[in-house]
């Protein structure tokens, strides 16, 4: 066991309530306008968490920037939904045009859904030859689990230690990162976080495959047949652990050996994010059985999908009629199609790779004079910067929370993640450019110095 | 037992596969353009059902009319999502403007969600003082069940015989109308269809309350504590049984006596549909504990919500953090706000009442010379026309399916529903007018004569 692994095994997990969020007891410190907005937000219930001790009112967005009510320009290194940039004109125009023409559902013939589906599946392995639409990543994962269970006859679904796959009743019970208040399913198997920093990049595949077989055996002992592994290949909420391209293939092979399906949750890594491939799974040379996707798909219009091998989807459709009113409607499809066009025309994947590599390079330079930066990792424009105590290897949870606030004061939006909240999450719109990287690095340097890290 | 009740108890239930749908074995009868589109739809899997033996390609919509690729004008008496009319300019403009300005999420301050939430809750009883957003009616009902279970500590959810509440794993298991392929939850209690035609309008309340108490007792015997009743007050998929205003209050009172919550699924009856009130539950003088809504909320943009008494929502939020990426985003809220404004400014509720009453009057006139029309019922612009054999009381399932096709040939879009598919479902955009009613009646008369009914 490495020092970092030991330190982490003793560290207290950060709960969602200790993450980046506005604390209502500080209401009096804000100006009257914000106080009024925040008081009015009571109507949304306690579940609606605002970011930052001084929450931001965002009124306008453009490219990788958002602007508050005073016109202040914030660099956005957080929002992955608007992956081709806030308010991209090609997408905006497609939405406006289609909304003015027609918006119905999939029980009439409409060409856009077919054009889009063909273009999207052309980016998949040929085995994945069917696509069905939903409105949210949660709905896609909910359906994927049902499809996997139907096909395998099993019930057991395996996820990672800090996974988040969505908010429906079913998917919540396979999302440990929601916290202790949410009971996990008795049919959930839990793998450790694939912590390449603590375990080692070359050891991670064997480490995970070993844990996987043990978990399948444990579930079998309880009478639960394994149905599928559901993972996001970046392991975003676990703390961003893409690892070396290819390592995950070994785990996917193990899944098939155990008779289960590999469900690739591409809500985070899909659509060019990793720079190295269009899909996260493709980075590892995996052919999944089911692929779910969401967030960046239509640059902000609710749209998600489940792509499946036909024999697996057919088995489900033969038993259960599935209809989703808003899913695949003409406006959502027009937005998704326009988003995909921008990705191709503007070489968004190439940009994610180039700017992501540059970003990591600049972070590594910065790390030379800041020893609290224990690890810099990522693929494309999904980057994690881990902060551990240089002496003890302990995760620096509180300091990273303070860093996020310091970054906000310097007008840069970024966030944190992982079991201990000690990892800075960099996940900007994919149109992020070199000037944006420079601005981010400058703000980070200032923030580190401000809190003496 | 009435003759109709007896006939129904012996009749074979219509499965979803026998409902209005395109049968691929008739592909060769279509023109080359449609054949090509339908072949391309294979990519969507077998779950994507098209309406009609000659499916319609809809390319444009306006008010209560849609137009196909040849410019043919169809009267739309089916689509309730576009409740203020296809492509209403006020809603279209709000979507286009907001999409060009900003589309993020609820972790930054944004005023539109607050303006809208306040305006919407002002239309509710004061006890319902919190609202939380989702993207689909399925997500809203999924969350509502979890909230009810959390608050009551019970697990049992009671629905009606032919209920449809959505497509997530949880909600599907409480949606008997999905059919035999979908297992119902062991924690589901099932009430009979509140068939006012078979049972009698004045008997229906006692009939349902009696069945309800028996079902609660049955569940208790199996160790399942009752958590809530989930019903749509129009009982749409059961066959459209709004009954007399007020009858449902007795059932809601029984729910509270048994310690459960009343969950009003307003996806169908909400937002002016019944004409008599803004909400379906309000027509019965009920104060629900939880209200779910969806379809017509934003005139086609994915948007849904769960409105809850604060003490009930707080108990859930205290345990479980719930976040939904696209829900309540600025574009969805702009569309929802614009839709609500149109409802108020154009007196959509008044129109639904006036035109709905006129519609029923004209249908009754028609029924005088068509004895197969056994019952005409509805509230506002949600109307059911039941066809039973005048001699035996048997549901005329096959004939109604043929009627729907005849209506389509006469360029009127309408559908059917109910356990036996023998009920014509009339559920147009709420801007339907007198001329539209006349056109519908004329087409129905022609259709009835064409098949000798």
């Amino acid at each position: 066991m490495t020092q970092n692994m030991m330190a982490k095994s003793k560290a207290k997990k950060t709960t969602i309530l200790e993450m980046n969020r506005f604390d209502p007891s500080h209401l009096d410190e804000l100006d009257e306008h914000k106080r009024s907005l925040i008081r009015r937000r009571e109507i949304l219930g306690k579940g609606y968490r605002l970011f930052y001790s001084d929450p931001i009112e965002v009124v306008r967005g453009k490219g990788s920037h958002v602007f508050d009510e005073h016109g202040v320009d914030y660099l956005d290194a957080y929002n992955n939904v608007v992956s081709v940039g806030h308010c991209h004109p090609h997408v905006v125009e497609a939405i406006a045009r289609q909304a003015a023409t027609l918006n119905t559902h999939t029980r009439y013939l409409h060409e856009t859904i077919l054009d889009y589906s063909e273009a999207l599946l052309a980016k998949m392995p040929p085995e994945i030859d069917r696509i069905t639409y939903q409105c949210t990543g949660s709905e896609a994962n909910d359906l994927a689990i049902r499809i996997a269970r139907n096909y395998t006859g099993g019930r057991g679904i395996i996820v990672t230690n800090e996974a988040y796959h969505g908010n429906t009743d079913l998917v919540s019970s396979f999302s440990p990162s929601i916290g202790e208040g949410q009971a996990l399913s008795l049919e959930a198997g839990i793998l450790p976080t694939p912590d390449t920093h603590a375990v080692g990049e070359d050891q991670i595949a064997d480490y995970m495959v070993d844990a996987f077989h043990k978990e399948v055996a444990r579930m079998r002992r309880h009478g639960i047949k394994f149905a599928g592994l559901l993972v996001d290949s970046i392991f975003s909420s676990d703390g961003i652990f893409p690892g070396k391209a290819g390592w995950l293939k070994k785990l996917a092979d193990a899944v098939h050996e155990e008779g289960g399906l590999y469900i690739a949750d591409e809500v985070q890594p899909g659509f060019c994010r990793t720079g190295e491939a269009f899909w996260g799974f493709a980075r590892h040379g995996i052919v999944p059985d089911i692929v779910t996707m969401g967030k960046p798909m239509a640059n902000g219009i609710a749209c998600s999908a489940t792509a499946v091998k036909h024999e697996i989807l057919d088995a489900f459709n033969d038993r259960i009629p599935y209809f989703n009113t808003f899913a695949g409607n003409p406006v959502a499809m027009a937005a998704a199609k326009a988003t995909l066009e921008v990705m191709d025309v503007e070489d968004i994947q190439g940009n994610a790779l180039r700017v992501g590599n540059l970003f990591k390079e600049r972070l590594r330079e910065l790390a030379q004079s800041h020893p609290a930066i224990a690890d810099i990792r990522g693929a494309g424009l999904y980057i994690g910067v881990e902060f551990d105590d240089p002496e003890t290897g302990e995760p620096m949870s509180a300091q990273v929370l303070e860093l996020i606030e310091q970054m906000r004061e310097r007008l840069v939006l970024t966030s944190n993640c992982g079991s201990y909240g000690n990892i800075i999450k960099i996940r900007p719109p994919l149109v992020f450019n070199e000037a944006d990287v420079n601005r981010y690095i400058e703000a980070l340097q200032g923030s580190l110095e401000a809190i003496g890290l």
Side-chain angles (χ1 to χ4, degrees), chain A residues 80 137 141 157-166 171 174-177 191-196 204 208 228-243 247-249 251-252 255 261-271 273-274 278-284 286 288 290-296 378-379 382-383 417-418 425 427:
Chain A
N80 59 336
N141 283 327
I157 300 290
I158 294 184
V159 297
T160 54
N161 187 48
E162 210 63 48
Y164 178 76
H165 295 292
V171 180
F174 294 100
S175 293
S177 77
L191 299 184
T193 287
D195 188 336
T196 49
I204 202 69
M208 293 301 284
L229 176 76
L230 173 61
V231 286
D232 142 25
S233 62
I234 291 187
F235 300 94
S236 316
S237 56
D238 272 287
I240 310 168
F241 296 99
W247 82 263
L248 201 52
K249 177 73 164 60
L251 186 57
V255 167
L261 302 189
Y262 184 94
I263 309 170
D265 180 344
E266 292 284 333
V267 171
Q268 298 283 349
F271 293 96
R273 176 59 54 183
T274 69
F278 192 88
W279 303 108
F281 64 77
R283 209 182 140 250
H284 294 286
I286 293 168
I290 306 178
V291 180
T292 59
M293 60 200 89
K295 291 196 201 301
Y382 211 133
I383 300 171
C417 64
K425 175 160 85 172
R427 192 192 54 175

Side-chain angles (χ1 to χ4, degrees), chain A residues 293-308:
Chain A
M293 60 200 89
K295 291 196 201 301
M297 193 167 183
N299 218 45
I301 293 292
C303 183
S304 73
T306 308
V308 196

Side-chain angles (χ1 to χ4, degrees), chain A residues 114-408:
Chain A
L114 303 176
D115 293 341
Y116 179 65
S117 300
E118 287 163 0
L120 192 66
L121 285 197
K123 295 185 179 291
M124 294 254 180
E127 293 90 337
I128 310 276
D129 54 358
R130 294 289 182 272
I131 184 161
T132 164
Y133 293 92
Q134 294 76 44
C135 294
T136 66
S138 300
E139 286 192 336
N141 283 327
D142 190 286
L143 180 61
I145 292 174
R146 294 169 69 202
I147 290 172
R149 285 175 161 180
N150 179 70
Y151 190 72
T152 60
R155 297 281 305 173
I157 300 290
I158 294 184
V159 297
T160 54
N161 187 48
E162 210 63 48
Y164 178 76
H165 295 292
N167 57 35
T168 65
D169 181 68
L170 179 68
V171 180
S172 294
S173 75
F174 294 100
S175 293
S177 77
I178 295 176
E180 303 275 325
Q182 169 66 52
L184 290 178
S185 169
L186 286 166
E187 295 163 329
I190 310 292
L191 299 184
T193 287
D195 188 336
T196 49
H197 176 56
V199 176
E201 285 213 332
D202 294 330
Q203 289 75 45
I204 202 69
D206 290 338
Y207 173 78
M208 293 301 284
V209 168
D210 181 56
F212 167 74
H213 285 299
K214 283 183 180 144
E215 196 60 358
V216 172
R218 182 195 66 77
M219 291 165 85
R220 193 182 297 125
R221 188 69 186 84
H222 289 272
I224 299 163
K225 184 178 170 189
F226 173 56
L229 176 76
L230 173 61
V231 286
D232 142 25
S233 62
I234 291 187
F235 300 94
S236 316
S237 56
D238 272 287
I240 310 168
F241 296 99
K244 287 184 187 170
W247 82 263
L248 201 52
K249 177 73 164 60
K250 223 166 166 174
L251 186 57
D253 290 343
V255 167
H256 290 136
E257 276 164 37
E258 295 278 11
L261 302 189
Y262 184 94
I263 309 170
D265 180 344
E266 292 284 333
V267 171
Q268 298 283 349
F271 293 96
C272 307
R273 176 59 54 183
T274 69
E276 297 170 27
F278 192 88
W279 303 108
F281 64 77
R283 209 182 140 250
H284 294 286
I286 293 168
V287 177
D289 302 291
I290 306 178
V291 180
T292 59
M293 60 200 89
K295 291 196 201 301
M297 193 167 183
N299 218 45
I301 293 292
C303 183
S304 73
T306 308
V308 196
K309 293 176 178 173
H310 71 268
E311 65 273 23
I312 296 174
L313 183 60
D314 282 357
F316 184 80
N317 284 335
D318 284 345
R319 290 185 48 212
I320 297 176
Y322 179 93
F323 177 69
N324 189 314
T325 300
F326 300 128
N329 76 27
V331 168
M333 289 294 96
K337 184 165 172 272
T339 302
L340 192 62
E341 285 160 359
V342 173
M343 287 177 178
D344 285 344
V345 170
E346 298 186 9
D347 186 22
I348 293 291
Q349 186 183 321
N351 189 69
L353 185 63
R354 282 188 301 276
V355 178
N357 285 339
L358 173 76
F359 213 144
K360 279 181 281 190
E361 205 178 296
R362 300 296 312 276
L363 287 164
R364 282 192 199 104
E365 287 163 21
L366 193 65
Q368 290 176 358
S369 47
H370 296 279
I373 298 181
D375 194 29
I376 293 158
R377 54 186 181 252
L381 279 168
Y382 211 133
I383 300 171
V385 184
E386 176 165 337
F387 288 78
D388 298 326
D389 185 301
E391 302 296 316
T392 62
E394 270 171 63
M396 299 178 86
S397 311
Q399 294 92 326
V400 166
L401 197 55
E402 178 56 25
L403 258 186
I404 302 301
E405 294 280 0
Q406 289 283 338
M407 291 292 280
R408 179 241 178 279

